[in-house]
Amino acid sequence: MTSRGMWRHGRSFVISLLVLIAAVGPQVCPAQNSAGSPAAEKIRLGEQMYREGILPSGEPLRAYVKGDIPVPGTAFSCVSCHLRSGLGSVEGGVFTPPTNGDKLFQPFQLLFKGLEQKYFPLPPRRPAYTDATLAEVIRSGATPTGGTLNDVMPRYLLEDEDMALLLSYLKGLSSHYSPGVSATTLHFATVITDEVSPEERTAMLAPLEQYIAIKNNQARAYRAPGNKSRQMAENMLVSKELATRTLTLSRWILKGSPETWRKQLEEYNRKDPVFALLGGVSSGEWKPIHDFSEANRIPCLFPITNLPVISETDWYTLYPSKGYYQEGEAAARYLHTDGVLPQGAAVVQIVRDSPEGRALAAGFRQTWLDSGNGAPLTVLLKAGQTVTKEILRKATGKKNVAVVMVWDGPECVPALQSLVTAGKRPLSLFVSARYLGEKLWTLPEQIRPFTYISYPYTFALSVTYSAMGNAKLQEDQRQALGQADVTIKNHAQEIASLDTTLTQIVTMALMDLRGNYYRDNFFDVIGMIADQPSSVFGRLSFGPGQRYASKGCYIVQLTKGPRPELVKKSGWVIH
Amino acid sequence: MPKNTLISLFAFFLLGLMPALEPAGAADAKKYQRTIEAYAIPDVVLVNQNGTKVRLREVLKSDKPIIVDFIFGTCTTICPILSVGYANLQQKLGANSRSVHLVSISIDPENDTPKVMRDYLKRYRAKPGWDFLTGSRSDIDKVMYAFNAYIPNKMSHYPLTLIRSPRDGKWIRIFGLLSSSEFMNECQKVGIR
């Protein structure tokens, strides 16, 4: 166990201790309001106040923090502190209590007696809120017991009608356990699309199913009276809660064309509702599954895909990385910051019309435009069309073209040789390591000095399958070696490694849920977890609302010779 | 969960966590810790919200008062409060907002790209004179070490405000969250008004 990991567990333990609140088993089956109905409109307006800080009038909520600091407009709102589920957080020594329906309208008191009372300051006990006392505490900070809230909690100036909307939103917020939760089970599923090879399916399923088996065994041990593990679990108050529920995992296999996936997913979910989707694997675009999760508000954690949906606002899918898009992004950032591009020089992208090619090109284009550059030129390669000398000559012959991106798979490699001989040689050529695969190592010698490769993996010796050559050992590699305990030699092992990381995240998330089985709380607590080491990406990081865990991608070059090495030209993250 | 994890967890909990909780009490009592410090600024090049490279030593060698805090773009609770303090100070200074240089340094440098930082500043209606800096993780680590503010992980951060007086280059180090009047009070001590 690393020291980071230890800190992590220590912290979540404290959080759990701080928030041991009596919980009455909430009933399932939330009131369903069809969209557009007056009730649904009320919820929408309340949600807008809670999440965006905007009143039904369209004006921002008015508030003061720390006694006298007016909050500028919509800089932050309830969600910034109490989080999306309303279950609150502990951050930087500030305890933000729950404001969800289930907790507010029952007394805040301690359920378990023990260590926590001796060592930790606890939030004050209070009776259940009523509409009147709740409105009062939000407006003035005056609590039902005659105290005053800490002034980190803003004071909100709200008219009665607006207050009524906010209160009814809080009443419905995390007030009934999410679907997939019963008194005895917590139900998950994992999505696998039909074209995935049996080997890769197993790579994804094995760590996950094994993890669930171990967890359930531990819970059984806990329930057995007189068992030693039980004494351990007694000390670990948080796991007591987990021990009462068995984890179950269904396989949702999607067949046929992607257009039919959504219907299949809806059908699976109707018959067999789940709390969340764990892992999953597809070689196609994840979009149909992403859209399903988003529409049904079902968290999907760590699907194995290099073709995720790129969105700054979608909430319900947390990807290991941005995949191909991230490589295009890195190429743009490198080209923009390294400053070698002459004034007025143009960039041309030669793009395979495939999901991979389009994602690489989109990542480059968007990032390039965001940095204030002009749009790149694009040449699309249709199905069956390969890169030829002629295509390259035409591309480099265009006005002012200094840089060429070839976002294509291994089949483009032979033609690249012609960049040396045919007409104008570009200043630089960019290609994708992931898309070229093992052909990367056969890039013609003469183009290597001006070829830049996006390389989305940790620069560690343990990742060898796309790096059959030797990588030079540097400081961060040594660090990564220390973290990595899996040697990755093929795609199946990459999947297995990511999936093992997934099980670590789930372990922490389940503890941090503290028995509050609301889907939004699942991603709220994951947003608070510490960085995790990964044999594939080096370091994975999380944060409220962050949805792509790996943040980096190197730009590398290849040395000369038959057994070339990768040489880093950039840092992991390029700003 | 393996047994040794449980044991180390328990031991760690007993040994290490008491100090971590102190700020909660401090905040309750509306008190903050204040010390005067001298810091050696590391020679690192960071990147601001416009994507421009800046040498930290030069940024912090100003004849204006400087205020530094450590935040990140997606942070909850603490950063909003710290940033609202910055926004409010700029509001009070009005047209004089440039008479003090507000510097926020990212403790989540991999996620805080210039674009994320620009969006963040826009949300707080930042005016010229407030810069948000990011960089490589190793450079950011150096900066945190230099200010005795190192944390291994962004989620374990705490509220810290550092105010540099242009008179002697010394720093007022404030641990805890300030109200607006407390903040103004500290600012006045280094000549901000």
Side-chain angles (χ1 to χ4, degrees):
Chain A
M1 182 171 211
T2 64
S3 59
R4 263 210 301 274
M6 201 150 92
W7 165 250
R8 161 69 207 152
H9 282 284
R11 192 187 60 83
S12 65
F13 188 29
V14 174
I15 297 176
S16 318
L17 287 172
L18 281 171
V19 196
L20 297 169
I21 306 153
V24 183
Q27 322 86 305
V28 192
C29 82
Q32 290 291 328
N33 294 303
S34 50
S37 70
E41 182 59 8
K42 252 176 87 174
I43 293 173
R44 194 189 65 78
L45 291 172
E47 186 173 279
Q48 180 181 294
M49 290 165 81
Y50 185 88
R51 290 194 191 160
E52 288 152 51
I54 298 176
L55 295 167
S57 66
E59 293 291 306
L61 261 76
R62 281 187 302 148
Y64 290 87
V65 286
K66 292 299 297 179
D68 53 2
I69 313 185
V71 178
T74 52
F76 59 78
S77 53
C78 320
V79 78
S80 316
C81 301
H82 294 280
L83 305 188
R84 183 145 163 151
S85 63
L87 266 302
S89 65
V90 176
E91 217 199 302
V94 178
F95 170 73
T96 306
T99 51
N100 62 320
D102 176 40
K103 302 290 186 205
L104 285 174
F105 298 98
Q106 57 173 301
F108 190 99
Q109 60 188 24
L110 304 172
L111 181 59
F112 304 112
K113 293 198 176 68
L115 289 168
E116 82 280 7
Q117 284 179 321
K118 280 182 241 152
Y119 294 105
F120 297 107
L122 282 159
R125 300 175 193 208
R126 55 153 178 76
Y129 276 106
T130 62
D131 282 15
T133 56
L134 194 52
E136 182 59 34
V137 82
I138 292 170
R139 284 192 174 119
S140 72
T143 67
T145 50
T148 311
L149 288 186
N150 176 332
D151 58 12
V152 172
M153 162 68 192
R155 309 297 191 251
Y156 288 91
L157 312 175
L158 285 171
E159 301 295 339
D160 287 346
E161 308 91 87
D162 296 338
M163 181 62 87
L165 283 169
L166 182 62
L167 294 192
S168 82
Y169 180 72
L170 294 179
K171 275 181 200 165
L173 180 64
S174 300
S175 57
H176 302 286
Y177 280 169
S178 299
V181 184
S182 79
T184 53
T185 57
L186 192 54
H187 188 46
F188 297 96
T190 189
V191 176
I192 300 170
T193 59
D194 215 17
E195 84 297 339
V196 174
S197 73
E199 193 193 10
E200 293 181 4
R201 268 180 212 219
T202 311
M204 196 280 293
L205 280 168
L208 203 52
E209 290 184 340
Q210 187 191 17
Y211 162 79
I212 288 187
I214 291 172
K215 260 267 149 353
N216 289 337
N217 267 334
Q218 282 175 347
R220 259 193 297 280
Y222 169 80
R223 289 195 294 262
N227 189 307
K228 266 214 178 111
S229 314
R230 185 189 168 98
Q231 285 162 22
M232 271 299 174
E234 286 283 358
N235 289 329
M236 282 278 311
L237 297 167
V238 280
S239 61
K240 201 173 192 171
E241 172 62 40
L242 254 189
T244 61
R245 283 185 176 80
T246 304
L247 307 184
T248 51
L249 183 76
S250 290
R251 299 178 185 185
W252 288 3
I253 313 283
L254 302 182
K255 301 203 165 99
S257 86
E259 295 84 70
T260 65
W261 290 356
R262 177 67 181 268
K263 227 178 131 200
Q264 296 176 53
L265 287 164
E266 300 285 359
E267 189 56 18
Y268 274 123
N269 190 45
R270 197 182 56 76
K271 287 197 194 133
D272 177 30
V274 291
F275 180 67
L277 299 171
L278 300 181
V281 59
S282 176
S283 49
E285 286 168 296
W286 197 260
K287 188 170 189 312
I289 308 158
H290 177 107
D291 291 346
F292 162 80
S293 294
E294 207 62 25
N296 291 281
R297 302 188 174 195
I298 300 176
C300 176
L301 179 61
F302 251 54
I304 309 288
T305 172
N306 292 320
L307 297 165
V309 171
I310 306 299
S311 163
E312 284 177 17
T313 49
D314 284 359
W315 216 78
Y316 288 97
T317 307
L318 199 169
Y319 296 98
S321 81
K322 287 184 188 166
Y324 285 102
Y325 187 97
Q326 196 155 325
E327 289 183 62
E329 212 175 55
R333 290 189 192 172
Y334 180 75
L335 197 58
H336 179 74
T337 54
D338 117 291
V340 295
L341 205 61
Q343 275 287 323
V347 179
V348 61
Q349 304 199 87
I350 299 175
V351 184
R352 166 73 48 206
D353 193 8
S354 65
E356 293 81 0
R358 287 192 300 265
L360 283 157
F364 178 81
R365 186 189 157 85
Q366 191 57 50
T367 315
W368 190 241
L369 294 177
D370 283 347
S371 314
N373 300 289
L377 306 166
T378 304
V379 177
L380 214 56
L381 297 168
K382 289 286 166 213
Q385 190 184 5
T386 46
V387 177
T388 58
K389 191 172 165 178
E390 189 52 24
I391 290 176
L392 288 170
R393 202 181 52 77
K394 253 174 130 175
T396 52
K398 286 191 178 159
K399 195 161 169 266
N400 292 335
V401 164
V403 179
V404 179
M405 317 256 147
V406 178
W407 300 133
D408 193 8
E411 61 274 19
C412 74
V413 170
L416 296 178
Q417 171 74 28
S418 72
L419 281 172
V420 185
T421 49
K424 209 172 60 169
R425 204 207 89 180
L427 204 61
S428 47
L429 164 72
F430 282 78
V431 292
S432 151
R434 193 186 256 139
Y435 207 4
L436 292 184
E438 300 197 347
K439 273 277 190 257
L440 171 68
W441 306 101
T442 66
L443 283 173
E445 289 239 356
Q446 288 122 310
I447 69 164
R448 289 183 199 170
F450 62 91
T451 299
Y452 295 84
I453 305 157
S454 54
Y455 187 77
Y457 304 108
T458 177
F459 221 72
L461 286 178
S462 56
V463 180
T464 58
Y465 80 93
S466 59
M468 291 170 339
N470 299 317
K472 285 195 176 117
L473 193 68
Q474 294 178 6
E475 183 46 41
D476 61 338
Q477 291 175 276
R478 251 178 248 119
Q479 276 178 18
L481 270 183
Q483 296 167 345
D485 45 13
V486 195
T487 302
I488 295 170
K489 294 209 183 72
N490 56 44
H491 189 51
Q493 287 176 356
E494 178 182 334
I495 294 176
S497 168
L498 286 174
D499 233 47
T500 305
T501 309
L502 162 70
T503 63
Q504 281 153 10
I505 300 168
V506 175
T507 301
M508 290 182 279
L510 291 180
M511 278 174 66
D512 289 356
L513 281 176
R514 292 175 255 116
N516 296 302
Y517 297 113
Y518 310 106
R519 285 168 173 167
D520 286 357
N521 192 30
F522 190 54
F523 271 6
D524 276 348
V525 299
I526 292 171
M528 294 287 169
I529 71 175
D531 296 3
Q532 299 295 309
S534 159
S535 324
V536 179
F537 296 124
R539 181 180 186 125
L540 299 170
S541 64
F542 307 87
Q546 295 184 21
R547 290 294 173 261
Y548 309 92
S550 169
K551 303 296 196 289
C553 174
Y554 290 112
I555 298 297
V556 303
Q557 283 197 299
L558 213 53
T559 57
K560 294 206 163 177
R563 286 188 62 79
E565 295 180 342
L566 297 175
V567 180
K568 253 189 245 176
K569 302 305 287 182
S570 77
W572 176 239
V573 176
I574 308 162
H575 287 307
Chain B
M1 168 162 296
K3 235 185 203 173
N4 62 351
T5 308
L6 285 180
I7 294 166
S8 58
L9 194 158
F10 190 63
F12 184 69
F13 147 69
L14 287 179
L15 290 174
L17 279 158
M18 294 310 295
L21 280 155
E22 264 165 34
D28 277 346
K30 289 185 194 155
K31 268 194 232 117
Y32 55 91
Q33 292 166 25
R34 178 184 191 276
T35 53
I36 305 292
E37 310 281 348
Y39 297 116
I41 311 300
D43 193 12
V44 294
V45 174
L46 303 180
V47 176
N48 73 13
Q49 66 279 2
N50 302 317
T52 310
K53 292 197 165 93
V54 295
R55 241 181 114 176
L56 189 64
R57 273 195 185 160
E58 270 150 38
V59 173
L60 301 184
K61 215 172 60 193
S62 169
D63 46 14
K64 287 183 205 171
I66 297 170
I67 309 181
V68 170
D69 66 7
F70 294 92
I71 63 169
F72 61 100
T74 63
C75 158
T76 61
T77 314
I78 303 178
C79 308
I81 303 277
L82 288 172
S83 297
V84 130
Y86 271 17
N88 195 253
L89 176 63
Q90 284 201 321
Q91 205 71 36
K92 287 199 175 150
L93 294 173
N96 272 344
S97 73
R98 276 174 188 276
S99 65
V100 48
H101 191 182
L102 305 177
V103 180
S104 293
I105 297 176
S106 169
I107 53 168
D108 187 12
E110 297 183 342
N111 196 60
D112 287 343
T113 57
K115 181 169 187 301
V116 169
M117 300 191 298
R118 270 198 307 277
D119 290 347
Y120 185 91
L121 291 178
K122 213 194 274 163
R123 234 185 308 143
Y124 287 89
R125 298 183 190 166
K127 297 191 211 167
W130 180 359
D131 287 315
F132 197 165
L133 307 181
T134 189
S136 71
R137 185 174 289 279
S138 63
D139 283 346
I140 292 288
D141 281 355
K142 279 183 203 153
V143 178
M144 289 196 285
Y145 273 120
F147 283 107
N148 189 19
Y150 179 75
I151 41 157
N153 198 285
K154 65 177 183 287
M155 296 320 297
S156 49
H157 77 147
Y158 44 78
L160 194 62
T161 306
L162 302 152
I163 306 176
R164 183 180 184 273
S165 163
R167 285 191 288 268
D168 55 4
K170 291 264 168 57
W171 294 82
I172 303 173
R173 178 189 179 92
I174 293 165
F175 188 104
L177 294 167
L178 300 176
S179 75
S180 168
S181 48
E182 288 164 338
F183 190 37
M184 276 315 282
N185 208 358
E186 292 294 349
C187 288
Q188 273 160 16
K189 291 178 189 159
V190 298
I192 303 169
R193 49 197 91 238

